[in-house]
Amino acid sequence: MSVTRPTQSYRQGVQQDPVVQRRRVVIPNSHGEKLVGILHETGSKQLVIVCHGFQSTKDRIPMVNLAAALEREGISAFRFDFSGNGESEGSFLYGNYRKEAEDLRAIVQDFRTKGRVITAIIGHSKGGNAVLLYASKYNDISIVINISGRFNLKRGIEGRLGLGYLQRIKQNGFIDVRNKKGKLEYRVTEESLMDRLSTDIHAACRMICQDCRVLTIHGTKDKMVPAEDASEFDKFTPNHKLHIIEGADHEFTSHQDELASLVIQFIKANYQKDGPRSKRADGTIDSRM
């Protein structure tokens, strides 16, 4: 495990930004729902996909800043809204972990048909769960970065749904979550709650291919997901690196430079420059990293 404290901006030393075009891209998922994203096009075939978290969008600060940092390094990036979030079609669901991994699958496959090489997938918060679930199922991405993801999905529910949530949801079939002003934010159905409770991140991490390089980044001041979860990822994920940023909150509000620097360094250190990996006959990946 490594720890960072405030350092110089990663922007220092970048002499000239590449020519970048940003454009809106729409890709259908397997349910026919349109997923909307922003492509940061640098002209490179290499592409990094950036995934947002719970009740978030592609336009939140961590996603925008990471994509911008990648483009400054000449790496194309794509940040998108999961189904039911932001500009994308579909209904917002509380659980939806596996479906979000399948949304990511649709994005990966679409860009691959266009000749792109998916260098890495990055997920923030719940998006971290999506990239890990994807890696455990498909084993076709060499670099996975989990930022502030939750290891134990049974934790953190009571804080949102209140005491006795299981009994109440079984009795009523749903729980409405309201903000401090009493306005409805979203409805949690029993089915969507069970989806979360039945999603086993521990098992998923153990299934990630040994050739896949995984980085977890977490902040010590994260009040949404405790930093202890990051240590659990480190225990059970093969070929894993853990980095803790001292004083950082859940969205790395005052630590965007450190976050971007770590992500870029990890990708550059682990990206296989001699082309995409090939699959063996047993479906696992042959890596020359």
Side-chain angles (χ1 to χ4, degrees):
M1 180 185 76
S2 54
V3 178
T4 52
R5 294 170 178 82
T7 58
Q8 289 184 324
S9 169
Y10 73 94
R11 295 187 185 93
Q12 295 179 4
V14 177
Q15 297 179 349
Q16 185 176 2
D17 289 348
V19 177
V20 177
Q21 294 180 342
R22 297 184 185 181
R23 59 186 173 90
R24 188 173 183 268
V25 176
V26 179
I27 298 170
N29 65 11
S30 60
H31 299 273
E33 297 160 336
K34 294 177 181 178
L35 306 176
V36 180
I38 300 296
L39 176 63
H40 297 239
E41 178 62 84
T42 67
S44 169
K45 282 189 175 182
Q46 285 70 44
L47 179 71
V48 174
I49 301 172
V50 183
C51 304
H52 67 78
F54 181 73
Q55 275 199 301
S56 186
T57 74
K58 65 184 180 303
D59 297 322
R60 289 294 287 266
I61 289 174
M63 280 55 71
V64 173
N65 283 358
L66 285 171
L70 287 160
E71 74 180 25
R72 281 191 291 272
E73 297 294 326
I75 303 169
S76 296
F78 184 69
R79 51 186 170 89
F80 74 100
D81 294 325
F82 285 115
S83 54
N85 293 268
E87 294 184 88
S88 292
E89 295 180 344
S91 300
F92 175 82
L93 294 173
Y94 177 72
N96 225 27
Y97 288 84
R98 297 175 188 87
K99 187 184 178 190
E100 291 187 350
E102 294 307 310
D103 282 352
L104 177 55
R105 179 63 171 172
I107 300 295
V108 169
Q109 289 183 310
D110 185 87
F111 277 109
R112 280 183 173 153
T113 63
K114 297 170 182 173
R116 297 282 186 164
V117 176
I118 309 303
T119 306
I121 51 177
I122 304 171
H124 173 254
S125 193
K126 190 184 178 192
N129 296 118
V131 298
L132 292 165
L133 288 167
Y134 178 98
S136 72
K137 182 174 181 179
Y138 293 107
N139 283 327
D140 63 353
I141 301 290
S142 62
I143 300 171
V144 175
I145 301 177
N146 161 40
I147 302 170
S148 302
R150 187 182 293 278
F151 185 83
N152 186 348
L153 297 184
K154 293 181 173 62
R155 291 201 296 250
I157 300 175
E158 193 173 276
R160 291 186 186 272
L161 305 188
L163 294 170
Y165 64 86
L166 268 177
Q167 181 181 352
R168 287 187 290 117
I169 207 165
K170 287 184 179 297
Q171 179 180 343
N172 302 317
F174 65 89
I175 294 175
D176 284 339
V177 177
R178 300 180 182 275
N179 62 21
K180 294 179 180 179
K181 295 182 179 180
K183 183 180 178 181
L184 178 66
E185 289 192 341
Y186 56 90
R187 172 168 287 185
V188 180
T189 63
E190 183 176 359
E191 181 182 6
S192 66
L193 176 61
M194 292 305 111
D195 178 276
R196 171 167 174 158
L197 292 174
S198 64
T199 301
D200 191 341
I201 298 299
H202 171 265
C205 287
R206 294 178 70 92
M207 291 173 63
I208 293 175
C209 179
Q210 179 67 38
D211 291 325
C212 177
R213 194 77 173 93
V214 182
L215 170 66
T216 291
I217 304 172
H218 217 105
T220 59
K221 298 296 185 181
D222 190 331
K223 295 181 179 180
M224 296 291 294
V225 180
E228 289 77 9
D229 280 50
S231 298
E232 294 301 301
F233 284 116
D234 198 41
K235 288 179 186 176
F236 299 108
T237 308
N239 206 4
H240 182 271
K241 180 178 180 180
L242 172 61
H243 197 107
I244 300 295
I245 298 182
E246 289 282 352
D249 61 16
H250 189 63
E251 291 201 325
F252 299 84
T253 306
S254 301
H255 297 78
Q256 290 295 309
D257 285 354
E258 291 94 329
L259 176 64
S261 179
L262 285 167
V263 166
I264 289 169
Q265 288 172 18
F266 189 78
I267 290 173
K268 284 187 170 183
N270 292 285
Y271 175 61
Q272 180 184 329
K273 292 182 173 58
D274 55 347
R277 298 170 301 166
S278 59
K279 280 196 174 184
R280 304 187 186 101
D282 63 359
T284 58
I285 304 168
D286 181 17
S287 174
R288 296 183 296 277
M289 286 177 64

